[in-house]
Amino acid sequence: MSDMTATAVATRGFFVDGKWIERGELAEIRAPYDDAVIAQVFQGTRADAELAIASAVKAFGTTRRLPAFERQRVLRRVAQSISQQKDEFSRTLAQEAGKPIKAARTEVDRAVFTFNVAAEESTRIYGEYLPLDWQEYTVGRWGIVRRFPLGPIAGITPFNFPLNLVAHKVAPAIAAGCPLVLKPTPQTPLCSILLAEAVQQAGWPDGGLNVIPLSNEDAGLLVSDDRLKMISFTGSAAVGWAIKRNAGKKKVILELGGNAALIVHSDADLPFAAERCVAGAFAYAGQTCISVQRVLVERSVYGKFVDLLIAGASKLRVGDPMEESTDVGPLIRESDAIRAADWIQEAVRGGARLLCGGQRKGPLLEPTVLTGTRTDMKVNCREIFAPVVTVEPYDDFDKAIRQVNNSAYGLQAGIFTRDAKLMFTAYEELEVGGLIAGDVPSFRIDHMPYGGIKDSGLGREGLRYAIEEMTEPKLLVMNLR
């Protein structure tokens, strides 16, 4: 049986300059749920990274001149290819990331949408006409502003959305006409490799996309090399800000972490708010940057909301991500589950009460609800990236706003209220990149601007917004006198 399993494990190369390369060290890709080896992937070296950068620089001579209809055609073909291979992408994603299979299918659908939106936006990279006859001596002059692709770009992606967050680098880069050197995370490189095949088959020029697993040390070249004009990074705050410090003159876009907060006011539809909170806190075991981590509920409805939240959490099925009935799968590593369980116990020792969950079995952690916490506890002030949520009552709305803002992070927040004044107060006062009214902070549709402030990042993703980041305006002045 073990020999058959070993034979079935695929070995994959990396993709540089339109070629699939199989050399160097092999790394095993293991399923988070049971640690089974699901594939082997060749690791690139610093020399391979040099080759990838050089091929991207060369490809820019072609990609920057491609007309919009050709870029659009490539993007539509990629979307179609992902859609046609939905089952393979979904299985691969569920295996390598430990994401429940039904959530994996949703991510694949989102990636198709991401490429289709990028196809539309590739034909809508507009500029403007500027009248310049505002002074006597400038009569007869006018200007136009047009956006041009920046140049070769580096992308570094995390484990938690190994297809759609990669799509958020690849799709806008193609739309803008920028070659991309992509370093996928070591835990989940397989979806990136499948996507590279789809991009190659769609007719994108050789060197226009390079996908290369690298050690962190070798990936430093992507940060320091001035031939790359931008780096787009999604991952931890510590790594993201270190990249910015070392990036030299290149543009840096950072989509980092969060400890997203949700305010539930007394006029909210409590069953709906609790239902959405269950989804927002525990989907993919809380391993999203906008997972609900802190909930503040007006005291008059606090007890009822907590009862609904616990009832919803207790119905979730924890287990094998490949089973259709699973709602909450494993954390990406057992060490992450151990860390989260330690933070829970630390909070309990500090006076917090465990309302449900808290038990760990290997990489699996039960959906957990805590109350009686303090703002300085790790379960509140740090990003837990696990199926853990704290819920506390509030008496004064303005104080609740201040409590949400009492955080190093500022990615997205949510609010449930029917009071428009409170909604707009929250919109004006909350220190976040986005406020979701009538839903949890975990809501995202892929064409909206997405990013944060404070330790949560710099710049915005979302197709049109990412294309703006990957292009720069250039002015042409015409003197017709």
Side-chain angles (χ1 to χ4, degrees):
M1 187 73 169
S2 60
D3 290 342
M4 289 175 62
T5 304
T7 305
V9 172
T11 300
R12 302 304 308 261
F14 51 87
F15 186 59
V16 172
D17 200 18
K19 303 177 186 67
W20 289 96
I21 298 172
E22 297 187 355
R23 63 166 178 249
E25 292 186 12
L26 279 167
E28 292 180 336
I29 310 303
R30 293 180 174 270
Y33 177 66
D34 58 7
D35 206 36
V37 178
I38 55 175
Q40 299 180 106
V41 174
F42 283 98
Q43 301 297 291
T45 62
R46 185 179 177 90
D48 296 316
E50 288 269 8
L51 183 63
I53 294 169
S55 70
V57 171
K58 181 182 68 176
F60 186 53
T62 301
T63 61
R64 64 190 289 266
R65 294 184 173 89
L66 285 176
F69 83 91
E70 289 193 25
R71 288 178 271 122
Q72 183 182 60
R73 184 165 58 190
V74 168
L75 289 159
R76 291 214 183 283
R77 285 173 176 167
V78 175
Q80 185 178 24
S81 179
I82 298 170
S83 183
Q84 289 171 343
Q85 300 175 77
K86 180 176 178 177
D87 287 347
E88 183 179 4
F89 271 106
S90 300
R91 284 196 311 274
T92 302
L93 201 164
Q95 287 176 330
E96 70 173 346
K99 184 168 291 190
I101 186 67
K102 53 192 176 186
R105 293 191 193 102
T106 299
E107 181 173 340
V108 176
D109 288 340
R110 284 182 63 186
V112 172
F113 177 78
T114 296
F115 274 94
N116 277 327
V117 172
E120 295 177 15
E121 294 295 346
S122 67
T123 62
R124 297 199 289 244
I125 304 174
Y126 299 134
E128 60 179 327
Y129 160 80
L130 293 176
L132 301 178
D133 55 350
W134 288 20
Q135 291 180 285
E136 186 177 347
Y137 79 92
T138 61
V139 169
R141 289 174 170 84
W142 55 271
I144 58 172
V145 179
R146 180 181 154 198
R147 301 196 74 88
F148 288 81
L150 274 179
I153 292 171
I156 300 178
T157 52
F159 73 83
N160 56 335
F161 288 84
L163 177 59
N164 197 42
L165 289 186
V166 173
H168 271 283
K169 314 293 186 195
V170 176
I174 292 174
C178 294
L180 181 71
V181 179
L182 178 79
K183 176 201 174 295
T185 187
Q187 298 100 320
T188 59
L190 300 177
C191 281
S192 298
I193 290 168
L194 286 175
L195 182 58
E197 290 178 342
V199 171
Q200 182 184 33
Q201 292 161 9
W204 192 234
D206 291 349
L209 174 63
N210 305 274
V211 175
I212 178 168
L214 294 165
S215 69
N216 289 338
E217 183 180 357
D218 289 339
L221 186 64
L222 304 184
V223 179
S224 62
D225 196 305
D226 285 338
R227 290 174 294 175
L228 296 169
K229 302 306 178 187
M230 172 177 158
I231 185 159
S232 178
F233 171 83
T234 304
S236 72
V239 175
W241 294 115
I243 285 173
K244 185 175 183 296
R245 285 193 297 272
N246 296 316
K249 299 174 184 176
K250 66 170 59 65
K251 193 173 188 178
V252 178
I253 303 301
L254 303 175
E255 198 280 280
L256 307 176
N259 57 350
L262 172 67
I263 295 174
V264 181
H265 202 58
S266 58
D267 62 350
D269 178 339
L270 292 183
F272 177 69
E275 176 190 325
R276 293 298 296 146
C277 189
V278 168
F282 305 127
Y284 190 39
Q287 296 175 113
T288 75
C289 299
I290 43 177
S291 179
V292 179
Q293 186 170 331
R294 300 176 292 151
V295 183
L296 302 176
V297 186
E298 192 171 16
R299 191 176 299 275
S300 62
V301 295
Y302 171 79
K304 183 177 180 183
F305 178 85
V306 167
D307 289 344
L308 290 165
L309 179 63
I310 293 170
S314 65
K315 292 175 184 173
L316 297 176
R317 188 175 185 281
V318 181
D320 185 347
M322 301 307 291
E323 292 183 8
E324 294 289 343
S325 58
T326 296
D327 300 301
V328 179
L331 273 72
I332 191 69
R333 292 173 295 248
E334 185 174 8
S335 59
D336 289 300
I338 292 170
R339 171 191 55 77
D342 286 346
W343 287 11
I344 293 166
Q345 290 307 313
E346 185 179 298
V348 170
R349 287 195 300 272
R353 285 189 295 121
L354 189 64
L355 298 179
C356 71
Q359 296 301 305
R360 181 184 69 84
K361 183 178 180 182
L364 297 170
L365 182 64
E366 291 177 347
T368 300
V369 179
L370 289 162
T371 192
T373 62
R374 298 190 311 272
T375 56
D376 62 345
M377 288 177 170
K378 289 175 185 172
V379 291
N380 280 320
C381 68
R382 304 270 289 272
E383 180 179 41
I384 195 160
F385 231 57
V388 179
V389 65
T390 68
V391 56
E392 306 294 348
Y394 72 85
D395 298 298
D396 179 87
F397 187 79
D398 290 336
K399 287 183 180 178
I401 293 283
R402 289 197 293 274
Q403 189 168 336
V404 172
N405 287 341
N406 182 22
S407 169
Y409 296 106
L411 190 46
Q412 288 191 172
I415 182 170
F416 283 96
T417 181
R418 293 183 172 92
D419 187 325
K421 185 175 185 296
L422 294 180
M423 194 184 301
F424 278 98
T425 297
Y427 181 51
E428 289 183 3
E429 299 298 329
L430 286 174
E431 298 166 354
V432 290
L435 173 64
I436 313 300
D439 209 339
V440 288
S442 320
F443 173 83
R444 183 182 182 187
I445 184 168
D446 292 282
H447 66 290
M448 75 187 202
Y450 180 73
I453 60 173
K454 300 196 281 190
D455 278 358
S456 288
L458 192 67
R460 293 294 180 269
E461 290 197 337
L463 284 310
R464 176 163 67 88
Y465 303 90
I467 291 167
E468 287 180 0
E469 302 279 14
M470 293 176 177
T471 55
E472 58 187 351
K474 187 190 293 187
L475 169 69
L476 172 65
V477 173
M478 300 290 291
N479 179 8
L480 302 181
R481 290 185 70 177

